[in-house]
Amino acid sequence: DLGRSLTEEQAARTVPATPDWSVKDAYSHLAGAAADLLAGNLEGVTTDPWTEAQVAPRRDSDLAEVVDEMESLGEAMDSLIASLGEDVDIRLLIDQWTHEQDIRGTVGIAGGVESPIVAKAAPGMATGWVRGVSRSGLPPLTVDLSGHQFAVDDDPAVAAVTLAVDAYEAMRIGRGRRSVKQLAGLPWAGTDDPSPYFEHLVYFAIADRDVTDAR
């Protein structure tokens, strides 16, 4: 529905924190990922060559055609995901939500903020941050996720540094949708220089420029 509402100018805008994709290219990745998953084409899954092989053959298609393809695959994808049940790779759902937010931020249309995937995945994101920092030798980190604290050995008292964010922000940080400047501007406590922690918050790469969302 969002894709069908966009103008050609909106479809051509560059999406931050992607491989210089346009909005249409981001849709092409989503359509291509669905097609690849249904075809069992998982070699190199999540790598840049895997995603580029989805975007490149759709570059001559317009956004409406790409959205039509997505829609045509929807029923089969629903069946596939339902058949996997709890065994579904949560990264698939996180990836789709992430790119939806990328697209919405690029065109300035809010939505999808309260997606169930946010509440489901954000606690795991926070736990991963705490564990990563613990292994690094940095002073321990406690993550305050909308009032729920994640800490080493579940003991916030051991933490020297605290980061307080909500679930949505945690998801965007973890997927590399915040710049160094934006990470530095987060509500940190217990440190004057949080920069050593940044690499432990991001599962891909820190964005090379500020990313504006449409919350």
Side-chain angles (χ1 to χ4, degrees), residues 59-133:
R59 284 216 163 89
D60 291 335
S61 302
D62 61 29
L63 179 56
E65 292 172 315
V66 174
V67 172
D68 284 344
E69 180 186 6
M70 286 180 64
E71 190 167 57
S72 73
L73 299 173
E75 185 174 347
M77 280 297 294
D78 285 347
S79 297
L80 173 62
I81 291 170
S83 72
L84 294 171
E86 290 300 314
D87 291 329
V88 68
D89 189 333
I90 196 171
R91 291 176 299 175
L92 169 64
L93 311 180
I94 293 172
D95 186 64
Q96 178 150 347
W97 178 84
T98 296
H99 289 307
E100 178 188 351
Q101 294 307 309
D102 292 343
I103 291 164
R104 288 184 178 280
T106 302
V107 300
I109 300 175
V113 173
E114 301 296 333
S115 170
I117 194 60
V118 176
K120 184 176 180 64
M125 192 83 67
T127 299
W129 293 349
V130 170
R131 291 175 178 171
V133 168

Side-chain angles (χ1 to χ4, degrees), residues 125 128-130 132-133 136 138-139 141 143 161-163 165 169-170 172-189 191-207 210:
M125 192 83 67
W129 293 349
V130 170
V133 168
S136 75
L138 288 168
L141 173 69
V143 178
V161 177
T162 299
L163 172 63
V165 292
E169 188 66 14
R172 297 297 280 162
I173 293 167
R175 303 302 284 183
R177 267 53 184 185
R178 295 294 181 259
S179 67
V180 167
K181 178 182 176 182
Q182 288 175 309
L183 293 174
L186 294 171
W188 297 90
T191 179
D192 293 328
D193 179 17
S195 60
Y197 291 85
F198 295 171
E199 65 179 292
H200 302 288
L201 305 182
V202 179
Y203 289 93
F204 293 108
I206 296 172
D210 289 355

